[in-house]
Each structure stands twice: as C-alpha cells, then as structure tokens.
Amino acid sequence: MNSEETPAPGTGGPLNIEPALKALAAALHGEGPAVELSVGADGALVVGHVETPGCDDAVAVVRTSGSTGTPKATLLTVESLAASSMATALRLKGEGQWLLALPVQFVAGIQVLVRSLFAGTRPWVMDMSGGFTPEAFTAAALELTDKIRFTSLVPTQLQRLLDDPAPETLAVLRRFNAILLGGAPAPQSLLAAARDAGVRVVTTYGSAETSGGCIYDGYPLEGVSVRVAADGRILLGGDTVAAGYIEAPDEETGTFFEEDGVRWYRTSDLGSIDDDGRLTVLGRADDVIITGGIKVSAAHVQEQLEKSDAVSSAFVAGVPSAEWGQAVAAYVALAGDGNSGQAGPGQAGPGQAGAGQEAGHPAVVLQQQWQQELGVLAPKTVLTASGLRMLPNGKPDRLAMTAELSALHRGK
C-alpha cells in the first residue's frame, strides 16, 4: 500500500481531510486507486492507496472494528457506496451538511466524507485533539452553515452531550435534522432522554461489510433486504453489501454469498423480525455461555445487570472455569463515576477493582445482590470500573474485557 501523510494544521486542531476527499472523489470517478485512511501516531491523517486486483470499481478499504478478533480489510465499491448514500438521503428526506465527530478511518467516519461528496456539500471536522467533549462538539456544530444538518455519533458520545447539557449544546443538538446513532446498542434510557430533549436520533445497525448502517430504527433502507436464517443469524442483502475481504475469497469465509441475484452478508448477530418487518437485534451468536451444563445468554444477563441503579452499563462474557466449564463473568461500569457509564473511545475507565475485595466493596455488594436475584445466571466474577473498555470507533473492546475477566477469575 502506498500512502501519503498529511499533518493536521497547526498544533492539534481538526484533521485536514482535504487529501482524503480528493482521493475518494478520484476513486468514485474511476480515476484513482482504492483509498484506505488511517491516523498516524502523531495524529496526522494518512491517505493510503491500495491495489485491488479483480475489483476495478473499488473505492475504499475499511478495516472492521476487531472487537472479536483480527480486523478484516473490507472492500467497498462505487456501487455499494452510491447505494448506501442514496438510500440514506431517501430515508433522511434530503442531503445536507455533515459534521465529522467520529474517527475517519472507520466506516461511519468515511461515510461522512462519501455522503458529503455525493451531496456536493462541505463536511466540517470536529476538533478532537483534546478528546470528545461537549464544548468541542458545540463549537464544531456552530460552524455548520447549511440548513439541513447531520452527524453520526456512538452512544457514549451522545450520553456525554446529554449529561447536564449547557444551553448552547442543547441548542445545536436540536438543529440537526438527524443524528445517526450506531456502533453499539443504545440504552433505552438514552433514547428517551434524547426524545425528551427534542433531539432527533435515528438508531442504525450495520457494519463495514454493509457500507455502514443499513437498518434505520429497525427498518431496512431502500434496496436493502433483511432476513433471519434458521440458526437465528441476521442476514443483510442488497447493493450496499461490500465486495468482500481483501485477504480471503468469499468461498473461504462463507460470510458473503449470492442468492437469486442478490448479494448477502451473514452477520454474527442474532435477531428477530416482527410482523411489521422491524428487526430486533438480540445479541451476538457467540454470546451463549454453557456453565454447569446450562445455556446462558450473555445479552440477557447484561440486560438484567443494567437494571441496577448502581450500574450504568455492563459487559458479560463466559470465562474458562475448571469447575463449571465456563463461568459467567461481568465487567461493570458503575453509575455516578463521572463517565456516563463508558470510558471514551479507546480509553479504559480508571479505578478498576475486582471481586474478592473486602465486604462493602461495590463488586462484592453487586455480586451478592445478583446471586439473590438471578440465581444460576448471576456472574461468579465481577470487575467494576468507571467505564467499559472501548475501541477507537466507540464499540466495546470485548477481547480486552474478556481477557481481564479471565485473569481475574483464574486468580480467585
């Protein structure tokens, strides 16, 4: 891969995205190679050019989040990005100006640039050199000049914006025609808070393999098909589906397949579709924990743990256990620790503590409470922190938290 590094203007400040826009525009017009964006250790935007033999209409290579394993290089084409952009504009009832408030190298970030190119509008880049703060978001949102305005956020970011917001922050949030919310499940309490504040939020579901979100508020975009396979997995089809992974052909992964002229992507998530065609994501296919011969849904246990007033968010996983085969373990973000239940993207919550502490420690108190309420479903190992560990794109770092829980359980 050839690349060129473009430093951010001045010391700190927002990324200079002009080279990325130029390279993406050339690829969309068939006048340049596929683009892969990344950010260097010094914070500079790196515009890479990738050779894609066998795919002449490749536009962008986007790495998957890597939340459950090694990131895969997903190949997005002119067709998939155009279909996604058009369908998004149809669902949002118009094209407008976008605010980039997410890492540009991931699919949600690169889509802000691509949608802007298709719309012929100029995106504005939030200054995240000091991290994501309500003040920086507000300042960036005030720079938008178009009457129709959009942005994409992850739940962590929206939670921070709605936690005791300043009048200026609330005012700019209300000016957005829509705020796309994806990357991780959004708590119902957060969606209710947004509604009460008069903020127009659209929940999205999708991935790099589908050119980003392709299910909005539970319903597929125009040209997108959704169904649930016999094993409960969600299948997404249509023109927004990626050409595949660079590293492996489709027949080796089984992730992509063609059926009756439609290209499909087999997700790792379980779901159900109601009579109105609305999709509900039930959790990951690999989140079933078999402990002592009993099958336990990690998503169900997580939902129960988050009902506690002391918990703002939780992650549940199965860890190796000599006694149980697998043991239920929970990484818990405590409410009121100042981080709205989640550390920022790429940051771990401080003040971590594990089970086995003295009586009265939050981990011990919660574990005892859950043993009484949940019985065999209660986690046998609990690790408390101010926030969940997060990847740079705002998704929970499942691998890192599972490793910590496994080590803690082994040491008990």
Side-chain angles (χ1 to χ4, degrees), residues 15 23 35 63-64 71 86 134 142-143 145 154 193 229 250 261 269 289 295 312 314 353 380 389:
L15 288 176
V35 178
R63 301 279 167 175
T64 59
M86 183 179 299
L142 287 171
E143 297 290 343
T145 56
V154 295
D250 294 354
D269 297 318
I289 304 166
K295 289 185 178 181
S312 58
K380 294 180 171 58
R389 288 194 173 276

Side-chain angles (χ1 to χ4, degrees), residues 66-324:
S67 60
T68 59
T70 304
K72 302 180 182 69
T74 309
L75 190 56
L76 303 181
T77 64
V78 174
E79 181 183 27
S80 63
L81 289 171
S84 175
S85 183
M86 183 179 299
T88 296
L90 285 172
R91 181 62 60 88
L92 299 182
K93 296 181 172 58
E95 296 177 316
Q97 190 176 20
W98 286 82
L99 172 62
L100 177 62
L102 289 169
V104 71
Q105 66 269 35
F106 295 109
V107 70
I110 205 169
Q111 274 285 33
V112 168
L113 307 188
V114 170
R115 290 168 184 152
S116 299
L117 288 170
F118 277 114
T121 58
R122 180 179 179 81
W124 193 265
V125 184
M126 175 183 164
D127 180 2
M128 289 189 284
S129 57
F132 184 92
T133 65
E135 294 76 16
F137 179 88
T138 302
L142 287 171
E143 297 290 343
L144 298 179
T145 56
D146 284 22
K147 291 183 179 180
I148 302 177
R149 306 171 184 184
F150 304 111
T151 192
S152 291
L153 300 175
V154 295
T156 309
Q157 294 172 319
L158 184 60
Q159 184 71 65
R160 289 182 183 178
L161 294 171
L162 290 176
D163 277 345
D164 193 23
E168 296 82 4
T169 298
L170 202 54
V172 296
L173 284 171
R174 288 170 174 164
R175 289 184 194 137
F176 284 99
N177 292 68
I179 295 174
L180 302 187
L181 193 66
Q188 289 301 315
S189 58
L190 175 59
L191 298 179
R195 287 193 299 270
D196 292 344
V199 179
R200 292 177 287 274
V201 170
V202 177
T203 61
T204 69
Y205 171 71
S207 62
E209 291 89 345
T210 57
S211 303
C214 61
I215 306 289
Y216 283 21
D217 286 335
Y219 295 98
L221 295 178
E222 186 76 21
V224 174
S225 299
V226 59
R227 72 179 200 250
V228 175
D231 62 358
R233 291 195 184 219
I234 299 169
L235 305 180
L236 301 171
D239 292 338
T240 68
V241 175
Y245 301 128
I246 288 182
E247 296 93 340
D250 294 354
E251 58 268 19
E252 290 184 14
T253 66
T255 305
F256 300 94
F257 63 95
E258 300 275 347
E259 187 177 279
D260 298 328
V262 177
R263 184 164 178 79
W264 290 88
Y265 165 60
R266 189 188 312 277
T267 76
S268 297
D269 297 318
L270 302 175
S272 64
I273 301 175
D274 64 19
D275 293 340
D276 293 329
R278 185 186 182 96
L279 173 70
T280 298
V281 181
L282 303 175
R284 293 187 60 85
D286 58 2
D287 83 343
V288 175
I289 304 166
I290 302 178
T291 177
I294 299 173
K295 289 185 178 181
V296 176
S297 166
H300 174 71
V301 175
Q302 176 183 323
E303 182 181 356
Q304 298 305 308
L305 303 190
E306 290 177 344
K307 290 181 178 179
S308 170
D309 292 338
V311 174
S312 58
S313 56
F315 167 76
V316 175
V319 297
S321 169
E323 181 178 2
W324 303 95

